[in-house]
mmCIF file of all heavy atoms in Angstrom:
data_model
loop_
_atom_site.group_PDB
_atom_site.id
_atom_site.type_symbol
_atom_site.label_atom_id
_atom_site.label_comp_id
_atom_site.label_asym_id
_atom_site.label_seq_id
_atom_site.Cartn_x
_atom_site.Cartn_y
_atom_site.Cartn_z
ATOM 1 N N GLN A 3 -0.519 -4.899 18.394
ATOM 2 C CA GLN A 3 0.538 -3.927 18.019
ATOM 3 C C GLN A 3 0.283 -3.468 16.664
ATOM 4 O O GLN A 3 -0.383 -4.158 15.797
ATOM 5 C CB GLN A 3 1.862 -4.610 18.065
ATOM 6 C CG GLN A 3 2.384 -4.963 19.521
ATOM 7 C CD GLN A 3 3.812 -5.339 19.480
ATOM 8 O OE1 GLN A 3 4.340 -5.970 18.534
ATOM 9 N NE2 GLN A 3 4.505 -5.126 20.616
ATOM 10 N N ARG A 4 0.775 -2.262 16.377
ATOM 11 C CA ARG A 4 0.660 -1.701 15.026
ATOM 12 C C ARG A 4 1.480 -2.538 14.109
ATOM 13 O O ARG A 4 2.665 -2.897 14.470
ATOM 14 C CB ARG A 4 1.124 -0.226 14.998
ATOM 15 C CG ARG A 4 0.839 0.487 13.794
ATOM 16 C CD ARG A 4 1.163 1.999 13.911
ATOM 17 N NE ARG A 4 0.360 2.653 14.971
ATOM 18 C CZ ARG A 4 0.382 3.935 15.114
ATOM 19 N NH1 ARG A 4 1.106 4.791 14.400
ATOM 20 N NH2 ARG A 4 -0.359 4.437 16.051
ATOM 21 N N GLU A 5 1.005 -2.806 12.941
ATOM 22 C CA GLU A 5 1.794 -3.639 11.949
ATOM 23 C C GLU A 5 1.692 -3.005 10.574
ATOM 24 O O GLU A 5 0.758 -2.192 10.237
ATOM 25 C CB GLU A 5 1.054 -5.020 11.864
ATOM 26 C CG GLU A 5 -0.385 -4.984 11.357
ATOM 27 C CD GLU A 5 -0.852 -6.407 11.165
ATOM 28 O OE1 GLU A 5 -0.201 -7.447 11.304
ATOM 29 O OE2 GLU A 5 -2.085 -6.518 10.794
ATOM 30 N N LEU A 6 2.775 -3.345 9.750
ATOM 31 C CA LEU A 6 2.886 -2.807 8.498
ATOM 32 C C LEU A 6 1.868 -3.539 7.560
ATOM 33 O O LEU A 6 1.888 -4.835 7.531
ATOM 34 C CB LEU A 6 4.209 -2.971 7.959
ATOM 35 C CG LEU A 6 4.509 -2.578 6.496
ATOM 36 C CD1 LEU A 6 4.264 -1.080 6.229
ATOM 37 C CD2 LEU A 6 5.868 -3.051 5.943
ATOM 38 N N VAL A 7 1.063 -2.871 6.776
ATOM 39 C CA VAL A 7 0.136 -3.471 5.901
ATOM 40 C C VAL A 7 0.834 -3.456 4.484
ATOM 41 O O VAL A 7 0.894 -4.519 3.807
ATOM 42 C CB VAL A 7 -1.168 -2.775 5.809
ATOM 43 C CG1 VAL A 7 -2.116 -3.274 4.798
ATOM 44 C CG2 VAL A 7 -1.824 -2.772 7.155
ATOM 45 N N ALA A 8 1.251 -2.324 3.991
ATOM 46 C CA ALA A 8 1.859 -2.145 2.703
ATOM 47 C C ALA A 8 2.815 -0.910 2.708
ATOM 48 O O ALA A 8 2.564 0.006 3.420
ATOM 49 C CB ALA A 8 0.737 -1.956 1.631
ATOM 50 N N GLY A 9 3.860 -1.002 1.881
ATOM 51 C CA GLY A 9 4.760 0.072 1.624
ATOM 52 C C GLY A 9 5.068 0.323 0.248
ATOM 53 O O GLY A 9 5.017 -0.608 -0.554
ATOM 54 N N ILE A 10 5.517 1.537 0.024
ATOM 55 C CA ILE A 10 5.915 1.825 -1.437
ATOM 56 C C ILE A 10 7.122 2.824 -1.370
ATOM 57 O O ILE A 10 7.075 3.824 -0.566
ATOM 58 C CB ILE A 10 4.814 2.384 -2.199
ATOM 59 C CG1 ILE A 10 5.235 2.682 -3.733
ATOM 60 C CG2 ILE A 10 4.161 3.736 -1.643
ATOM 61 C CD1 ILE A 10 3.993 2.904 -4.560
ATOM 62 N N THR A 11 8.134 2.490 -1.983
ATOM 63 C CA THR A 11 9.335 3.260 -1.947
ATOM 64 C C THR A 11 9.218 4.526 -2.865
ATOM 65 O O THR A 11 8.275 4.655 -3.608
ATOM 66 C CB THR A 11 10.561 2.512 -2.357
ATOM 67 O OG1 THR A 11 10.537 2.182 -3.746
ATOM 68 C CG2 THR A 11 10.778 1.271 -1.561
ATOM 69 N N SER A 12 10.160 5.407 -2.731
ATOM 70 C CA SER A 12 10.202 6.552 -3.676
ATOM 71 C C SER A 12 10.233 6.116 -5.172
ATOM 72 O O SER A 12 9.787 6.834 -6.016
ATOM 73 C CB SER A 12 11.358 7.457 -3.248
ATOM 74 O OG SER A 12 12.581 6.800 -3.428
ATOM 75 N N GLY A 13 10.901 4.948 -5.322
ATOM 76 C CA GLY A 13 11.000 4.507 -6.724
ATOM 77 C C GLY A 13 9.830 3.693 -7.213
ATOM 78 O O GLY A 13 9.793 3.221 -8.353
ATOM 79 N N GLY A 14 8.853 3.408 -6.255
ATOM 80 C CA GLY A 14 7.695 2.737 -6.687
ATOM 81 C C GLY A 14 7.613 1.258 -6.316
ATOM 82 O O GLY A 14 6.692 0.501 -6.672
ATOM 83 N N THR A 15 8.626 0.755 -5.678
ATOM 84 C CA THR A 15 8.654 -0.687 -5.295
ATOM 85 C C THR A 15 7.692 -0.854 -4.095
ATOM 86 O O THR A 15 7.711 -0.065 -3.159
ATOM 87 C CB THR A 15 10.148 -1.138 -4.836
ATOM 88 O OG1 THR A 15 10.985 -0.881 -5.968
ATOM 89 C CG2 THR A 15 10.129 -2.511 -4.446
ATOM 90 N N THR A 16 6.996 -1.991 -4.239
ATOM 91 C CA THR A 16 5.961 -2.128 -3.165
ATOM 92 C C THR A 16 6.240 -3.433 -2.398
ATOM 93 O O THR A 16 6.932 -4.335 -2.873
ATOM 94 C CB THR A 16 4.584 -2.240 -3.804
ATOM 95 O OG1 THR A 16 4.616 -3.384 -4.757
ATOM 96 C CG2 THR A 16 4.151 -0.959 -4.498
ATOM 97 N N ASN A 17 5.672 -3.488 -1.184
ATOM 98 C CA ASN A 17 5.768 -4.695 -0.390
ATOM 99 C C ASN A 17 4.515 -4.752 0.484
ATOM 100 O O ASN A 17 3.900 -3.749 0.808
ATOM 101 C CB ASN A 17 7.020 -4.739 0.494
ATOM 102 C CG ASN A 17 7.034 -3.634 1.579
ATOM 103 O OD1 ASN A 17 7.189 -2.535 1.221
ATOM 104 N ND2 ASN A 17 6.834 -4.037 2.732
ATOM 105 N N TYR A 18 4.103 -5.997 0.805
ATOM 106 C CA TYR A 18 2.757 -6.218 1.510
ATOM 107 C C TYR A 18 3.005 -7.280 2.600
ATOM 108 O O TYR A 18 3.912 -8.178 2.495
ATOM 109 C CB TYR A 18 1.762 -6.756 0.562
ATOM 110 C CG TYR A 18 1.476 -5.876 -0.635
ATOM 111 C CD1 TYR A 18 2.182 -5.872 -1.897
ATOM 112 C CD2 TYR A 18 0.475 -4.824 -0.467
ATOM 113 C CE1 TYR A 18 1.855 -4.997 -2.911
ATOM 114 C CE2 TYR A 18 0.165 -3.983 -1.436
ATOM 115 C CZ TYR A 18 0.862 -4.101 -2.651
ATOM 116 O OH TYR A 18 0.556 -3.140 -3.667
ATOM 117 N N ALA A 19 2.151 -7.087 3.597
ATOM 118 C CA ALA A 19 2.031 -8.065 4.560
ATOM 119 C C ALA A 19 1.409 -9.343 3.941
ATOM 120 O O ALA A 19 0.582 -9.243 3.012
ATOM 121 C CB ALA A 19 1.168 -7.621 5.786
ATOM 122 N N ASP A 20 1.842 -10.482 4.367
ATOM 123 C CA ASP A 20 1.375 -11.717 3.759
ATOM 124 C C ASP A 20 -0.233 -11.819 3.869
ATOM 125 O O ASP A 20 -0.869 -12.317 3.005
ATOM 126 C CB ASP A 20 1.942 -12.930 4.468
ATOM 127 C CG ASP A 20 3.314 -13.222 4.060
ATOM 128 O OD1 ASP A 20 3.877 -12.629 3.121
ATOM 129 O OD2 ASP A 20 3.992 -13.981 4.853
ATOM 130 N N SER A 21 -0.768 -11.257 4.926
ATOM 131 C CA SER A 21 -2.199 -11.350 5.197
ATOM 132 C C SER A 21 -3.035 -10.596 4.089
ATOM 133 O O SER A 21 -4.252 -10.768 4.048
ATOM 134 C CB SER A 21 -2.500 -10.878 6.608
ATOM 135 O OG SER A 21 -2.134 -9.530 6.722
ATOM 136 N N VAL A 22 -2.429 -9.677 3.429
ATOM 137 C CA VAL A 22 -3.111 -8.775 2.479
ATOM 138 C C VAL A 22 -2.734 -8.922 1.060
ATOM 139 O O VAL A 22 -3.334 -8.385 0.154
ATOM 140 C CB VAL A 22 -3.079 -7.250 2.888
ATOM 141 C CG1 VAL A 22 -3.486 -7.099 4.357
ATOM 142 C CG2 VAL A 22 -1.653 -6.697 2.615
ATOM 143 N N LYS A 23 -1.737 -9.779 0.834
ATOM 144 C CA LYS A 23 -1.191 -9.913 -0.557
ATOM 145 C C LYS A 23 -2.319 -10.458 -1.416
ATOM 146 O O LYS A 23 -3.076 -11.385 -1.040
ATOM 147 C CB LYS A 23 -0.056 -10.926 -0.529
ATOM 148 C CG LYS A 23 1.296 -10.294 -0.154
ATOM 149 C CD LYS A 23 2.378 -11.384 -0.150
ATOM 150 C CE LYS A 23 3.750 -10.740 0.241
ATOM 151 N NZ LYS A 23 4.824 -11.774 0.310
ATOM 152 N N GLY A 24 -2.467 -9.870 -2.562
ATOM 153 C CA GLY A 24 -3.531 -10.266 -3.532
ATOM 154 C C GLY A 24 -4.836 -9.626 -3.303
ATOM 155 O O GLY A 24 -5.716 -9.741 -4.190
ATOM 156 N N ARG A 25 -4.952 -8.964 -2.240
ATOM 157 C CA ARG A 25 -6.181 -8.220 -1.893
ATOM 158 C C ARG A 25 -6.094 -6.735 -1.826
ATOM 159 O O ARG A 25 -6.941 -5.973 -2.215
ATOM 160 C CB ARG A 25 -6.793 -8.701 -0.537
ATOM 161 C CG ARG A 25 -7.025 -10.189 -0.484
ATOM 162 C CD ARG A 25 -7.861 -10.549 0.812
ATOM 163 N NE ARG A 25 -7.016 -10.308 2.053
ATOM 164 C CZ ARG A 25 -7.569 -9.507 2.992
ATOM 165 N NH1 ARG A 25 -8.680 -8.928 2.906
ATOM 166 N NH2 ARG A 25 -6.728 -9.364 4.104
ATOM 167 N N PHE A 26 -4.947 -6.263 -1.307
ATOM 168 C CA PHE A 26 -4.695 -4.858 -1.163
ATOM 169 C C PHE A 26 -3.646 -4.350 -2.188
ATOM 170 O O PHE A 26 -2.710 -5.099 -2.561
ATOM 171 C CB PHE A 26 -4.114 -4.588 0.196
ATOM 172 C CG PHE A 26 -5.127 -4.672 1.346
ATOM 173 C CD1 PHE A 26 -6.380 -5.340 1.164
ATOM 174 C CD2 PHE A 26 -4.773 -4.230 2.600
ATOM 175 C CE1 PHE A 26 -7.252 -5.494 2.242
ATOM 176 C CE2 PHE A 26 -5.643 -4.375 3.649
ATOM 177 C CZ PHE A 26 -6.891 -5.030 3.468
ATOM 178 N N THR A 27 -3.752 -3.096 -2.598
ATOM 179 C CA THR A 27 -2.844 -2.535 -3.559
ATOM 180 C C THR A 27 -2.386 -1.122 -3.061
ATOM 181 O O THR A 27 -3.405 -0.248 -2.847
ATOM 182 C CB THR A 27 -3.382 -2.449 -4.897
ATOM 183 O OG1 THR A 27 -3.653 -3.729 -5.415
ATOM 184 C CG2 THR A 27 -2.288 -1.871 -5.953
ATOM 185 N N ILE A 28 -1.161 -0.821 -2.869
ATOM 186 C CA ILE A 28 -0.683 0.471 -2.537
ATOM 187 C C ILE A 28 -0.226 1.151 -3.741
ATOM 188 O O ILE A 28 0.394 0.540 -4.672
ATOM 189 C CB ILE A 28 0.367 0.404 -1.443
ATOM 190 C CG1 ILE A 28 0.690 1.864 -0.905
ATOM 191 C CG2 ILE A 28 1.631 -0.231 -2.013
ATOM 192 C CD1 ILE A 28 1.603 1.839 0.341
ATOM 193 N N SER A 29 -0.463 2.487 -3.790
ATOM 194 C CA SER A 29 0.011 3.185 -4.954
ATOM 195 C C SER A 29 0.244 4.605 -4.599
ATOM 196 O O SER A 29 -0.277 5.122 -3.531
ATOM 197 C CB SER A 29 -0.970 3.206 -6.237
ATOM 198 O OG SER A 29 -2.277 3.782 -5.790
ATOM 199 N N ARG A 30 0.984 5.351 -5.419
ATOM 200 C CA ARG A 30 1.269 6.775 -5.045
ATOM 201 C C ARG A 30 1.081 7.645 -6.232
ATOM 202 O O ARG A 30 1.368 7.201 -7.421
ATOM 203 C CB ARG A 30 2.626 6.972 -4.389
ATOM 204 C CG ARG A 30 3.793 6.708 -5.339
ATOM 205 C CD ARG A 30 5.041 6.599 -4.537
ATOM 206 N NE ARG A 30 5.438 7.898 -3.913
ATOM 207 C CZ ARG A 30 6.232 8.024 -2.932
ATOM 208 N NH1 ARG A 30 6.820 6.938 -2.355
ATOM 209 N NH2 ARG A 30 6.489 9.185 -2.434
ATOM 210 N N ASP A 31 0.660 8.924 -6.079
ATOM 211 C CA ASP A 31 0.617 9.873 -7.166
ATOM 212 C C ASP A 31 1.419 11.042 -6.759
ATOM 213 O O ASP A 31 0.965 11.865 -5.927
ATOM 214 C CB ASP A 31 -0.917 10.246 -7.373
ATOM 215 C CG ASP A 31 -1.106 11.177 -8.599
ATOM 216 O OD1 ASP A 31 -0.089 11.843 -8.924
ATOM 217 O OD2 ASP A 31 -2.182 11.134 -9.152
ATOM 218 N N ASN A 32 2.630 11.135 -7.267
ATOM 219 C CA ASN A 32 3.559 12.193 -6.827
ATOM 220 C C ASN A 32 3.063 13.546 -7.303
ATOM 221 O O ASN A 32 3.423 14.586 -6.677
ATOM 222 C CB ASN A 32 4.916 11.864 -7.340
ATOM 223 C CG ASN A 32 5.623 10.760 -6.691
ATOM 224 O OD1 ASN A 32 5.177 10.317 -5.637
ATOM 225 N ND2 ASN A 32 6.619 10.232 -7.311
ATOM 226 N N ALA A 33 2.217 13.669 -8.379
ATOM 227 C CA ALA A 33 1.696 14.942 -8.791
ATOM 228 C C ALA A 33 0.653 15.474 -7.783
ATOM 229 O O ALA A 33 0.521 16.715 -7.742
ATOM 230 C CB ALA A 33 1.070 14.795 -10.190
ATOM 231 N N LYS A 34 0.023 14.586 -7.095
ATOM 232 C CA LYS A 34 -0.959 14.917 -6.147
ATOM 233 C C LYS A 34 -0.541 14.823 -4.702
ATOM 234 O O LYS A 34 -1.318 15.093 -3.747
ATOM 235 C CB LYS A 34 -2.274 14.126 -6.292
ATOM 236 C CG LYS A 34 -2.934 14.290 -7.688
ATOM 237 C CD LYS A 34 -4.249 13.485 -7.757
ATOM 238 C CE LYS A 34 -4.926 13.753 -9.101
ATOM 239 N NZ LYS A 34 -6.212 12.948 -9.250
ATOM 240 N N ASN A 35 0.687 14.412 -4.460
ATOM 241 C CA ASN A 35 1.154 14.272 -3.080
ATOM 242 C C ASN A 35 0.240 13.322 -2.310
ATOM 243 O O ASN A 35 -0.027 13.598 -1.153
ATOM 244 C CB ASN A 35 1.373 15.582 -2.395
ATOM 245 C CG ASN A 35 2.603 16.289 -2.813
ATOM 246 O OD1 ASN A 35 3.204 15.977 -3.827
ATOM 247 N ND2 ASN A 35 2.899 17.436 -2.203
ATOM 248 N N THR A 36 -0.108 12.274 -2.902
ATOM 249 C CA THR A 36 -1.113 11.308 -2.252
ATOM 250 C C THR A 36 -0.660 9.887 -2.390
ATOM 251 O O THR A 36 -0.150 9.484 -3.493
ATOM 252 C CB THR A 36 -2.528 11.560 -2.825
ATOM 253 O OG1 THR A 36 -2.882 12.978 -2.680
ATOM 254 C CG2 THR A 36 -3.540 10.709 -2.092
ATOM 255 N N VAL A 37 -0.842 9.132 -1.406
ATOM 256 C CA VAL A 37 -0.721 7.702 -1.480
ATOM 257 C C VAL A 37 -2.074 6.955 -1.173
ATOM 258 O O VAL A 37 -2.890 7.513 -0.409
ATOM 259 C CB VAL A 37 0.376 7.181 -0.505
ATOM 260 C CG1 VAL A 37 -0.058 7.408 0.974
ATOM 261 C CG2 VAL A 37 0.685 5.756 -0.641
ATOM 262 N N TYR A 38 -2.283 5.942 -1.857
ATOM 263 C CA TYR A 38 -3.584 5.161 -1.681
ATOM 264 C C TYR A 38 -3.424 3.788 -1.283
ATOM 265 O O TYR A 38 -2.362 3.166 -1.424
ATOM 266 C CB TYR A 38 -4.272 5.201 -3.094
ATOM 267 C CG TYR A 38 -4.442 6.557 -3.737
ATOM 268 C CD1 TYR A 38 -3.563 7.098 -4.729
ATOM 269 C CD2 TYR A 38 -5.580 7.302 -3.364
ATOM 270 C CE1 TYR A 38 -3.691 8.260 -5.285
ATOM 271 C CE2 TYR A 38 -5.740 8.570 -3.980
ATOM 272 C CZ TYR A 38 -4.780 9.075 -4.893
ATOM 273 O OH TYR A 38 -5.000 10.240 -5.504
ATOM 274 N N LEU A 39 -4.456 3.262 -0.669
ATOM 275 C CA LEU A 39 -4.558 1.800 -0.370
ATOM 276 C C LEU A 39 -5.868 1.355 -0.799
ATOM 277 O O LEU A 39 -6.952 1.592 -0.189
ATOM 278 C CB LEU A 39 -4.241 1.514 1.091
ATOM 279 C CG LEU A 39 -4.276 0.122 1.485
ATOM 280 C CD1 LEU A 39 -2.973 -0.534 0.912
ATOM 281 C CD2 LEU A 39 -4.337 -0.072 2.988
ATOM 282 N N GLN A 40 -5.821 0.630 -1.893
ATOM 283 C CA GLN A 40 -7.036 -0.080 -2.395
ATOM 284 C C GLN A 40 -7.219 -1.373 -1.709
ATOM 285 O O GLN A 40 -6.335 -2.222 -1.756
ATOM 286 C CB GLN A 40 -6.914 -0.276 -3.936
ATOM 287 C CG GLN A 40 -8.182 -0.955 -4.542
ATOM 288 C CD GLN A 40 -9.444 -0.189 -4.435
ATOM 289 O OE1 GLN A 40 -9.433 0.992 -4.664
ATOM 290 N NE2 GLN A 40 -10.553 -0.798 -4.032
ATOM 291 N N MET A 41 -8.287 -1.602 -0.969
ATOM 292 C CA MET A 41 -8.537 -2.816 -0.241
ATOM 293 C C MET A 41 -9.777 -3.514 -0.766
ATOM 294 O O MET A 41 -10.901 -2.999 -0.794
ATOM 295 C CB MET A 41 -8.777 -2.416 1.262
ATOM 296 C CG MET A 41 -7.668 -1.533 1.840
ATOM 297 S SD MET A 41 -7.845 -1.284 3.655
ATOM 298 C CE MET A 41 -9.335 -0.298 3.614
ATOM 299 N N ASN A 42 -9.526 -4.727 -1.351
ATOM 300 C CA ASN A 42 -10.620 -5.524 -1.889
ATOM 301 C C ASN A 42 -10.722 -6.848 -1.060
ATOM 302 O O ASN A 42 -9.936 -7.154 -0.208
ATOM 303 C CB ASN A 42 -10.252 -5.949 -3.300
ATOM 304 C CG ASN A 42 -10.137 -4.684 -4.206
ATOM 305 O OD1 ASN A 42 -10.840 -3.665 -3.997
ATOM 306 N ND2 ASN A 42 -9.267 -4.784 -5.257
ATOM 307 N N SER A 43 -11.925 -7.530 -1.229
ATOM 308 C CA SER A 43 -12.161 -8.709 -0.485
ATOM 309 C C SER A 43 -11.823 -8.597 0.956
ATOM 310 O O SER A 43 -11.155 -9.438 1.567
ATOM 311 C CB SER A 43 -11.316 -9.852 -1.090
ATOM 312 O OG SER A 43 -11.531 -9.996 -2.529
#
């Protein structure tokens, strides 16, 4: 099934699936209308 990996609210609060905590980082750039997911390890 499709699962949530990471989320970021309009205010910048983030949450992560346990399986990716410490490895993935979600961020957003409101000036560029873009959201990113940095995936390491």
Side-chain angles (χ1 to χ4, degrees):
Q3 289 190 333
R4 191 172 297 190
E5 62 175 357
L6 175 67
V7 175
I10 185 166
T11 68
S12 58
T15 301
T16 59
N17 65 288
Y18 297 92
D20 287 344
S21 59
V22 307
K23 281 180 182 176
R25 300 189 297 123
F26 290 11
T27 302
I28 188 171
S29 61
R30 66 190 298 159
D31 185 336
N32 288 344
K34 295 183 177 180
N35 284 8
T36 302
V37 63
Y38 304 97
L39 185 68
Q40 178 66 44
M41 306 187 293
N42 298 328
S43 303

